[in-house]
């Protein structure tokens, strides 16, 4: 089966591809979480009270806390991935210095597994080794581009910014001075989730319709549940 990265390799330059895909993924997921979590919260609060100041405070608190949490979580997660990649590169460099012949044989075997004949695989392995031995082994053994090790800062920033932008949509619509603000928020959120679902599917080279349906239904369900809970609690406590 052809992987998404293989597909991109077939169609153009892939320099920096890993990091671009990484921050794009973080941005899409951040926007999606910002939309759903903030919409659920402000719907719940709006169901309990009509005080727009209270709704605004709750929404802004959710936006700030969520953005910081997403950024920190993304940074920790991607830093772990980066540390693992750097560790593998360091280990491979050490092995290449200690046992170059064994590593050449290993690379030859990897190329044979990709369909090359033993003779061609050996020649290709020798040429790759002569050009940049560490790069060749890192790519073929671990799928790592030594010039494109994942960057946690770009992913964290993309996640924070996209979460904030996504959270602004339900926060602004729920503050509209009209009784229809619940319907406006629901429609706006559903449309935004359709966009993020479509985008995530395209980034993963998947069919967009199932992703859009899942995203929209999940978000609408979350808003409905929190609105119901807020209405019940608002009635009983009030």
């Amino acid at each position: 089966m052809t992987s998404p990265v293989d597909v991109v390799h077939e169609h153009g330059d892939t320099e920096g591809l890993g990091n671009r895909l990484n921050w794009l993924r973080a941005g899409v997921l951040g926007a999606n979480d910002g939309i759903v979590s903030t919409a659920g919260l402000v719907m719940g609060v709006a169901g309990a009270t009509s005080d727009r100041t209270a709704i605004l405070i709750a929404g802004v608190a959710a936006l700030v806390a969520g953005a910081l949490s997403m950024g920190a979580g993304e940074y920790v997660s991607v830093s772990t991935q980066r540390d693992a990649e750097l560790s593998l590169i360091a280990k491979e460099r050490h092995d290449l210095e200690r046992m170059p012949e064994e590593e050449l044989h290993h690379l030859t075997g990897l190329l044979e597994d990709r369909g090359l004949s033993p003779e061609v695989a050996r020649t290709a392995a020798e040429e790759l080794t002569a050009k940049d031995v560490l790069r060749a082994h890192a790519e073929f053994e671990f799928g790592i581009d030594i010039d494109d090790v994942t960057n946690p800062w770009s992913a964290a920033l993309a996640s924070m910014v996209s979460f904030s932008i996504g959270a602004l949509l339900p926060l602004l619509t729920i503050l509209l001075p009209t009784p229809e603000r619940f319907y406006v928020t629901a429609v706006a959120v559903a449309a935004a989730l359709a966009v993020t679902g479509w985008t995530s599917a395209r980034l993963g080279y998947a069919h967009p319709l199932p992703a859009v349906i899942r995203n929209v239904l999940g978000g609408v369900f979350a808003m409905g549940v929190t609105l119901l809970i807020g209405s019940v609690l608002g009635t009983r406590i009030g």
Side-chain angles (χ1 to χ4, degrees), residues 70-151:
M70 287 290 295
E74 196 68 34
Y75 179 81
V76 170
S77 174
V78 178
S79 292
T80 301
Q81 178 183 344
R82 177 184 176 85
D83 291 343
E85 291 177 353
L86 292 176
S87 177
L88 288 172
I89 292 172
K91 181 180 181 301
E92 191 62 27
R93 181 183 288 112
H94 178 262
D95 290 345
L96 287 168
E97 292 172 353
R98 291 184 62 242
M99 42 187 182
E101 282 302 320
E102 289 85 346
E103 288 297 315
L104 177 61
H105 180 72
H106 186 200
L107 180 57
T108 301
L110 292 174
L111 292 171
E112 287 182 32
D113 291 341
R114 296 198 174 198
L116 298 182
S117 67
E119 296 77 13
V120 174
R122 179 71 180 191
T123 301
E126 291 174 348
E127 291 181 357
L128 288 169
T129 297
K131 183 177 182 181
D132 192 331
V133 59
L134 180 59
R135 181 185 302 277
H137 282 265
E139 180 176 347
F140 283 97
E141 289 190 39
F142 310 116
I144 298 174
D145 182 349
I146 60 176
D147 293 329
D148 190 32
V149 178
T150 51
N151 184 348

Side-chain angles (χ1 to χ4, degrees):
M1 179 180 293
T2 303
S3 69
V5 175
D6 291 332
V7 173
V8 181
H9 270 281
E10 292 172 5
H11 293 284
D13 180 27
T14 59
E15 182 180 357
L17 173 65
N19 273 314
R20 286 200 295 272
L21 288 178
N22 200 47
W23 69 256
L24 281 171
R25 174 197 58 79
V28 172
L29 292 178
N32 199 74
D33 284 350
I35 295 167
V36 175
S37 62
T38 306
L41 187 142
V42 296
M43 278 288 207
V45 175
T49 177
S50 59
D51 186 342
R52 294 173 66 198
T53 300
I55 299 171
L56 175 62
I57 293 172
V60 170
L63 186 156
V64 174
L68 292 175
S69 176
M70 287 290 295
E74 196 68 34
Y75 179 81
V76 170
S77 174
V78 178
S79 292
T80 301
Q81 178 183 344
R82 177 184 176 85
D83 291 343
E85 291 177 353
L86 292 176
S87 177
L88 288 172
I89 292 172
K91 181 180 181 301
E92 191 62 27
R93 181 183 288 112
H94 178 262
D95 290 345
L96 287 168
E97 292 172 353
R98 291 184 62 242
M99 42 187 182
E101 282 302 320
E102 289 85 346
E103 288 297 315
L104 177 61
H105 180 72
H106 186 200
L107 180 57
T108 301
L110 292 174
L111 292 171
E112 287 182 32
D113 291 341
R114 296 198 174 198
L116 298 182
S117 67
E119 296 77 13
V120 174
R122 179 71 180 191
T123 301
E126 291 174 348
E127 291 181 357
L128 288 169
T129 297
K131 183 177 182 181
D132 192 331
V133 59
L134 180 59
R135 181 185 302 277
H137 282 265
E139 180 176 347
F140 283 97
E141 289 190 39
F142 310 116
I144 298 174
D145 182 349
I146 60 176
D147 293 329
D148 190 32
V149 178
T150 51
N151 184 348
W153 288 108
S154 61
L157 182 61
S159 184
M160 288 179 62
V161 171
S162 61
F163 183 98
S164 301
I165 294 173
L168 277 175
L169 177 64
L171 177 58
L172 293 176
T173 54
I174 201 65
L175 292 173
L176 293 173
T178 171
E180 290 77 25
R181 66 184 186 277
F182 293 104
Y183 302 107
V184 174
T185 300
V187 171
V189 165
L193 289 175
V195 172
T196 57
W198 183 88
T199 304
S200 64
R202 297 302 299 167
L203 287 176
Y205 296 91
H207 195 282
L209 185 58
V212 169
I213 294 174
R214 286 194 301 266
N215 228 28
V216 172
L217 290 181
V220 171
F221 177 75
M223 285 189 296
V225 170
T226 53
L227 176 59
L228 177 61
I229 293 173
S231 300
V232 171
L233 290 177
T235 301
R236 292 188 176 181
I237 297 176

